[in-house]
Amino acid sequence: MDDLEADAGDPEELSVRPYTLTQGRTAPARDDLTLITIVKTVDPPPGRSALRGLQPEHHVILRQCRGSAAVAEISAGLNLPVSVTKILIDDLVARGQVTTRPPIAMAAGNESDMNLLRAVRDGLRRL
Amino acid sequence: MVFADSEPAAGGVHVSTPPAAVKILVAGGFGVGKTTLVGAVSEVTPLHTEEYLTVASEGVDDVGGVEEKTTTTVAMDFGRITVNPQLVVYLFGTPGQERFWFMWNDLVHGALGAVVLADTRRLESSFASIDFFESRGIPFVIGVNCFHGQVDRGEQEVRDALTLGPEVPLVMGDMRSKEVGRDLLLALVEHLITTLSTA
Ligand SMILES: Nc1nc2c(ncn2[C@@H]2O[C@H](COP(=O)(O)OP(=O)(O)OP(=O)(O)O)[C@@H](O)[C@H]2O)c(=O)[nH]1
Ligand SMILES: [Mg+2]
């Protein structure tokens, strides 16, 4: 954690700055977040004392996810790369301040997948 | 009026549960209309995000067999369609530079399928995307863009040029049209249903 400042000639210089937000971490502790994992702030949302030690970006995530949002949407909202966003979300998961829902995984020949596809089809027809 | 707490907890799903998500990719060559299609069907203005990818650099001499790695930023835009309160479809327009997003596992992994857009004036710019989805076994449909407001090549001619099997759905139209975008997505989902029910 002692050398967050990139050397001027560092080829990865561009990627270093956002990682100061993550205190140097370049990968989340757990690697189960995907672009479309849905994140939701716990209800009731964490109070002021529970927010100690968090960055402003964490607060933005907690606010955005009161309704629930996908990792990609959070990344777009923060204007930060997906991998950096995942680390910040992971911090909140570790603190028990957000819950996550993984995307639906499809398996061939599965009846619930058929129902899912029919639901998507019916939804698209209403567009 | 049904109250939230009287909603049956079918399959463990409660009304306060966040929606489940699925994704569909929109691919094709540079400037072919990916963002336009996403915007035409999305309920929100396309959102933009980026990711860092670590890739093997090109043209470095492999002294000692050590591969140079560099970090590259890829950008993509995406939209969403809320199918029902329990289900959201995310549409990801892939970045123009295929050789990078092909390595973006999180983008590719778990997609229901893909829409590959093709411009009749330069069909070859969509070859790489088609090859990619074929080799990964990801189902796809083709959207043929009609940039001059008319179809200047017949469907069979396009199929031949792209070496598409007869089972691959193909829709021609203007990607700025919501109806065309909807028809493309419907063609994909119906293709998935057919494939699944004959599996
Ligand atoms: N006439 C016509 N113009 C279109 C059609 N689809 C897209 N365009 C236009 O073509 C231009 C490029 O479309 P984009 O949607 O930005 O293409 P893209 O594939 O996202 O481009 P990159 O992300 O840069 O690879 C825009 O000016 C669109 O308005 C179409 O079907 N007909
Ligand atoms: Mg685009």
Side-chain angles (χ1 to χ4, degrees):
Chain A
M1 210 73 68
D2 34 332
D3 195 13
L4 289 175
E5 248 89 300
D7 295 330
D10 190 331
E12 296 194 10
E13 181 185 15
L14 263 176
S15 67
V16 169
R17 195 198 51 81
Y19 287 116
T20 59
L21 264 181
T22 67
Q23 297 166 316
R25 292 163 299 161
T26 57
R30 284 170 302 274
D31 194 22
D32 56 357
L33 295 173
T34 75
L35 279 168
I36 59 166
T37 299
I38 305 290
V39 181
K40 188 165 177 27
T41 303
V42 293
D43 191 17
R48 201 152 57 86
S49 64
L51 298 176
R52 237 171 252 134
L54 292 178
Q55 313 257 12
E57 285 76 6
H58 291 115
H59 294 228
V60 175
I61 297 172
L62 289 170
R63 216 174 304 127
Q64 184 177 3
C65 295
R66 285 197 184 182
S68 87
V71 169
E73 291 172 304
I74 299 166
S75 164
L78 290 174
N79 200 13
L80 284 172
V82 176
S83 46
V84 176
T85 304
K86 284 179 180 173
I87 295 168
L88 299 174
I89 295 168
D90 202 51
D91 291 338
L92 297 171
V93 173
R95 296 168 69 119
Q97 294 172 338
V98 298
T99 56
T100 60
R101 175 161 191 185
I104 296 178
M106 297 271 294
N110 188 324
E111 190 53 35
S112 68
D113 289 349
M114 201 54 124
N115 291 335
L116 169 88
L117 290 172
R118 289 198 191 101
V120 174
R121 181 190 58 192
D122 296 346
L124 290 173
R125 281 184 180 152
R126 285 191 299 269
L127 270 187
Chain B
M1 173 71 201
V2 178
F3 291 102
D5 58 1
S6 67
E7 194 82 359
V13 176
H14 186 265
V15 272
S16 72
T17 307
V22 294
K23 74 180 162 190
I24 293 173
L25 304 179
V26 179
F30 183 76
V32 79
K34 301 178 292 289
T35 303
T36 303
L37 170 63
V38 169
V41 291
S42 172
E43 67 201 24
V44 294
T45 306
L47 298 165
H48 179 88
T49 191
E50 295 185 348
E51 180 60 308
Y52 299 140
L53 292 184
T54 304
V55 296
S57 19
E58 283 180 9
V60 288
D61 30 34
D62 49 348
V63 185
V66 180
E67 203 175 49
E68 281 290 316
K69 299 275 188 184
T70 60
T71 300
T72 264
T73 303
V74 283
M76 55 100 185
D77 37 37
F78 64 100
R80 60 178 278 164
I81 299 169
T82 302
V83 161
N84 63 47
Q86 251 77 59
L87 185 58
V88 179
V89 177
Y90 287 93
L91 287 172
F92 287 91
T94 60
Q97 286 175 294
E98 301 94 351
R99 67 196 175 95
F100 293 130
W101 72 257
F102 286 172
M103 289 181 286
W104 187 355
N105 288 324
D106 188 8
L107 180 63
V108 172
H109 182 78
L112 282 186
V115 173
V116 179
L117 296 184
D119 176 346
T120 50
R121 294 165 301 181
R122 43 190 185 96
L123 289 173
E124 65 289 346
S125 71
S126 298
F127 289 174
S129 294
I130 293 173
D131 288 347
F132 178 79
F133 294 123
E134 273 179 354
S135 67
R136 289 266 191 140
I138 298 173
F140 63 93
V141 298
I142 303 287
V144 180
N145 224 326
C146 305
F147 274 99
H148 339 284
Q150 61 175 60
V151 182
D152 53 2
R153 293 174 83 167
E155 172 172 340
Q156 195 53 49
E157 199 187 333
V158 173
R159 282 185 179 278
D160 292 345
L162 297 175
T163 56
L164 296 179
E167 75 287 354
V168 179
L170 183 148
V171 174
M172 295 191 162
D174 190 319
M175 299 309 147
R176 295 167 299 182
S177 150
K178 182 175 185 176
E179 287 69 36
V180 170
R182 181 199 58 204
D183 289 350
L184 262 168
L185 296 174
L186 269 175
L188 175 65
V189 175
E190 271 154 11
H191 180 52
L192 292 167
I193 290 174
T194 310
T195 315
L196 201 63
S197 53
T198 57

